[in-house]
Amino acid sequence: MAIISEVEEESSSSRPTILPFRATFDSSNPLGFLEKVFDFLGQQSDFLKKPYVEEEIAVAVRAAKEKLRKAEKKAEKETVEKETVNATVAASSAEPMEVEKPKEKEEKKEAGPIVPNKGNGADLENYSWVQSLQEVTVNIPVPSGTKARSVICEIKKNRLKVGLKGQDPIIDGEFFRVVKPDDCYWNIEDQKMISILLTKHDQMEWWRCCVKGEPEIDTQKVEPESSKLADLDPETRSTVEKMMFDQRQKQMGLPTSDELQKQEILKKFMSDHPEMDFSNAKIN
């Protein structure tokens, strides 16, 4: 079905000029409508000549998708609540019957961990994060030209809140583990990326997620770079290499380093005491 829409746009001159915009929207060809919108912008403004216009359009698309996702989630919740109420009313006015509750959300929660990205973190819809044993780095794309004064970034021991003034927070949640706020920093890179450096309090553990409630990674598939290991002190490096070895052994169903050490001790004891009969001994 074709729909005629009319939009008013202001020009960039000192005195705003109202320009009518008319286009036919055909639901079977939405890209055709967008092409006309971009043609109109190209003719009436310098918007498409901006150096980072693609990133700005991408940010706008992501924001629209997020808004749509929240609306669908809200509608889904209202539908579930309505079905639950109807089922309760029906059960109270009729013979007892079993009501099957929607299990979609439960199935989502039961989904397994995801494979880490190349930085041992995850690439999410609105941001990405990477980590070493000591630090976590969060990267959030923002519209080109964003200034530091437009950013709201609150880093607490166990919580992070970051976004742009006048808009809903991009991240607002509890850390997977606590951080050292005095050793955490943020800055704007190229006026289009918020970069946040978080210093872990426990620097001997891999995080499964940056903020609780987000998809978790499989820490058994974390692969630290060799160059990063070389930067560690000998004791920490030895511990990290032991953790990596034990993870690989567990994945292959083989004994860990502690279990191998116990087996060696037992073999040595049996070798030192040939007079003892271990044939009927049950050894775990």
Side-chain angles (χ1 to χ4, degrees), residues 243-260:
M243 290 169 54
M244 295 169 60
F245 174 79
D246 288 344
Q247 288 177 359
R248 288 193 295 267
Q249 291 292 97
K250 287 179 181 179
Q251 289 177 345
M252 295 184 290
L254 300 175
T256 62
S257 55
D258 290 337
E259 293 168 344
L260 289 173

Side-chain angles (χ1 to χ4, degrees), residues 50-62 142-144 192:
K50 297 171 68 175
Y52 301 107
V53 65
E54 291 86 354
E55 288 85 348
E56 292 191 30
I57 294 173
V59 170
V61 171
R62 284 197 296 269
V142 291
S144 178
K192 61 179 180 178

Side-chain angles (χ1 to χ4, degrees), residues 87-100:
T88 303
V89 173
S92 62
S93 60
E95 295 181 359
M97 60 180 291
E98 294 183 359
V99 179
E100 185 177 351

Side-chain angles (χ1 to χ4, degrees), residues 17 20-21 25 35 38-39 45 66 74 77 90 98 106 109 113 130 142 147 167 175 181 204 210 228 257 274:
T17 303
F21 169 73
F25 176 73
E35 289 176 358
F38 289 131
D39 288 343
S45 73
E66 178 65 14
K74 181 179 179 181
K77 181 180 179 182
E98 294 183 359
E106 295 179 4
K109 290 182 180 179
V130 298
V142 291
K147 305 292 185 181
Q167 301 182 23
F175 286 128
M204 294 302 296
C210 179
K228 298 295 184 181
S257 55

Side-chain angles (χ1 to χ4, degrees), residues 195-257:
S195 181
I196 306 172
L197 176 67
L198 306 169
T199 301
K200 297 179 181 178
H201 187 274
D202 180 0
Q203 301 192 347
M204 294 302 296
E205 180 183 13
W206 296 108
W207 284 18
R208 293 198 297 270
C209 60
C210 179
V211 175
K212 291 182 179 180
E214 295 286 4
E216 296 187 353
I217 65 170
D218 185 352
T219 54
Q220 291 189 354
K221 296 183 179 179
V222 166
E223 297 181 358
E225 297 179 10
S226 299
S227 58
K228 298 295 184 181
L229 288 175
D231 296 336
L232 301 175
D233 61 83
E235 183 179 356
T236 303
R237 177 174 179 175
S238 175
T239 302
V240 173
E241 290 175 341
K242 178 178 178 296
M243 290 169 54
M244 295 169 60
F245 174 79
D246 288 344
Q247 288 177 359
R248 288 193 295 267
Q249 291 292 97
K250 287 179 181 179
Q251 289 177 345
M252 295 184 290
L254 300 175
T256 62
S257 55

Side-chain angles (χ1 to χ4, degrees), residues 76 80 101-111:
E76 178 187 357
V80 171
K101 296 180 180 180
K103 298 181 180 180
E104 183 178 352
K105 291 187 178 180
E106 295 179 4
E107 291 175 356
K108 289 181 180 178
K109 290 182 180 179
E110 294 174 359

Side-chain angles (χ1 to χ4, degrees), residues 34-46:
L34 287 177
E35 289 176 358
K36 293 180 180 179
V37 171
F38 289 131
D39 288 343
F40 179 82
L41 289 174
Q43 295 170 3
Q44 303 296 337
S45 73
D46 295 331

